[in-house]
Amino acid sequence: MKFKGFKDLIILDIANNHFGDIDHSKKIVSKFSKIVKKNKSYAAIKFQFRHLDTFIHKDKRYLKGNKYVDRFQSTSFSEASFRTLVNLVKKNNLLTASTPFDEKSVDLIEKLDIDIIKIASVSANDFSLLERVSLNSKPKIISTGGLKINEIDKIVSFMSHRGQKFSLMHCISIYPSKDKDLQLKFISNLLDRYPGINIGWSTHENPENFSPSSIAYSLGATIFERHIGLNTKKYPLNKYSSTPEIVNLWLENLNNTK
């Protein structure tokens, strides 16, 4: 599948739900690809890239008790493993996407010919990273969780002046998010402030709650992102990630909303 714009784009984020297990990861890609095809959705499966040799400070690399260091180390993947998964996504005729958390990871995105670059909220003010991703012509989606409006202004100005094809993602950086914290009206605020830029909704609410996505669509959102995975005894899912069954219902609900 080729990228044909941001409208009606679904992003399914595996994040660290692959648990560093290539066989488990292949099952995730295969099962969700079937759900996407069943619903005739325009979708990408997204990975997260971190160059751990430099992303984690050398003095902290083997630090015990830090949940982030432990998680990133325990779920690390080789370039060969990521290549296998990217090729599997493409074989299933879905788009590929990746979130780079450092400049070296952008090199890998280009090497694997990933279709879409997604900038996480935590990196949206990292202008060294934004400068690096702007050296290629790949479409970008930038999350805005936790940002002030003047910070979003600077990002829009930066990307616009570099001729980038980009969109913004309204995001609440609380995992999981409660309904009272979603601030969905901000989607229409972003559309008013940045005419001509597609706005999306990156969701971390209870996976079985479909109302926020319907409301987001009615407010003008054209891109929708969810964390995905398979819930097994060995690899239990977190509270904001969706199983294939839930994503199937979510996509059906979005189609009904439209």
Side-chain angles (χ1 to χ4, degrees), residues 54-97:
T54 51
F55 185 74
I56 301 174
H57 192 280
K58 62 180 181 180
D59 294 340
K60 307 295 183 182
R61 199 164 296 154
Y62 303 104
L63 182 69
K64 298 299 180 183
N66 184 300
K67 66 177 182 179
Y68 300 107
V69 173
D70 289 345
R71 187 175 77 215
F72 297 152
Q73 292 281 34
S74 66
T75 61
S76 63
F77 257 153
S78 66
E79 179 182 320
S81 293
F82 274 127
R83 184 180 294 279
T84 296
L85 294 174
V86 166
N87 288 340
L88 182 60
V89 173
K90 292 181 177 182
K91 184 179 179 181
N92 280 279
N93 200 33
L94 272 70
L95 292 169
T96 55

Side-chain angles (χ1 to χ4, degrees), residues 52-237:
L52 294 183
D53 288 348
T54 51
F55 185 74
I56 301 174
H57 192 280
K58 62 180 181 180
D59 294 340
K60 307 295 183 182
R61 199 164 296 154
Y62 303 104
L63 182 69
K64 298 299 180 183
N66 184 300
K67 66 177 182 179
Y68 300 107
V69 173
D70 289 345
R71 187 175 77 215
F72 297 152
Q73 292 281 34
S74 66
T75 61
S76 63
F77 257 153
S78 66
E79 179 182 320
S81 293
F82 274 127
R83 184 180 294 279
T84 296
L85 294 174
V86 166
N87 288 340
L88 182 60
V89 173
K90 292 181 177 182
K91 184 179 179 181
N92 280 279
N93 200 33
L94 272 70
L95 292 169
T96 55
S98 177
T99 294
F101 286 90
D102 47 75
E103 290 87 336
K104 286 284 291 183
S105 293
V106 184
D107 296 344
L108 181 58
I109 284 173
E110 293 170 347
K111 192 172 184 180
L112 298 181
D113 196 23
I114 300 285
D115 298 303
I116 302 165
I117 294 177
K118 165 74 189 300
I119 301 296
S121 297
V122 71
S123 303
N125 266 331
D126 182 350
F127 283 90
S128 294
L129 181 60
L130 295 183
E131 186 71 64
R132 174 63 187 88
V133 299
S134 70
L135 296 180
N136 62 56
S137 59
K138 295 181 182 295
K140 282 89 180 174
I141 302 171
I142 304 171
S143 274
T144 61
L147 297 182
K148 297 176 182 178
I149 196 68
N150 66 308
E151 293 174 318
I152 302 174
D153 285 345
K154 290 177 182 177
I155 293 164
V156 170
S157 176
F158 184 92
M159 301 301 281
S160 298
H161 279 88
R162 283 157 181 77
Q164 296 294 294
K165 182 187 298 181
F166 72 100
S167 59
L168 299 174
M169 205 79 153
H170 174 48
C171 173
I172 299 299
S173 299
I174 303 173
Y175 303 77
S177 309
K178 295 181 179 179
D179 283 355
K180 67 183 180 65
D181 296 322
L182 300 182
Q183 300 184 47
L184 289 167
K185 184 66 167 62
F186 193 60
I187 292 169
S188 51
N189 294 347
L190 290 171
L191 284 165
D192 289 343
R193 193 174 186 89
Y194 311 115
I197 294 178
N198 288 86
I199 306 299
W201 166 234
S202 181
T203 167
H204 306 118
E205 69 267 9
N206 183 326
E208 296 184 25
N209 183 5
F210 305 142
S211 296
S213 294
S214 294
I215 296 168
Y217 181 84
S218 73
L219 290 167
T222 61
I223 313 163
F224 299 86
E225 179 179 41
R226 275 204 170 196
H227 288 260
I228 62 166
L230 301 179
N231 196 26
T232 68
K233 183 176 285 189
K234 185 177 182 181
Y235 301 125
L237 270 187

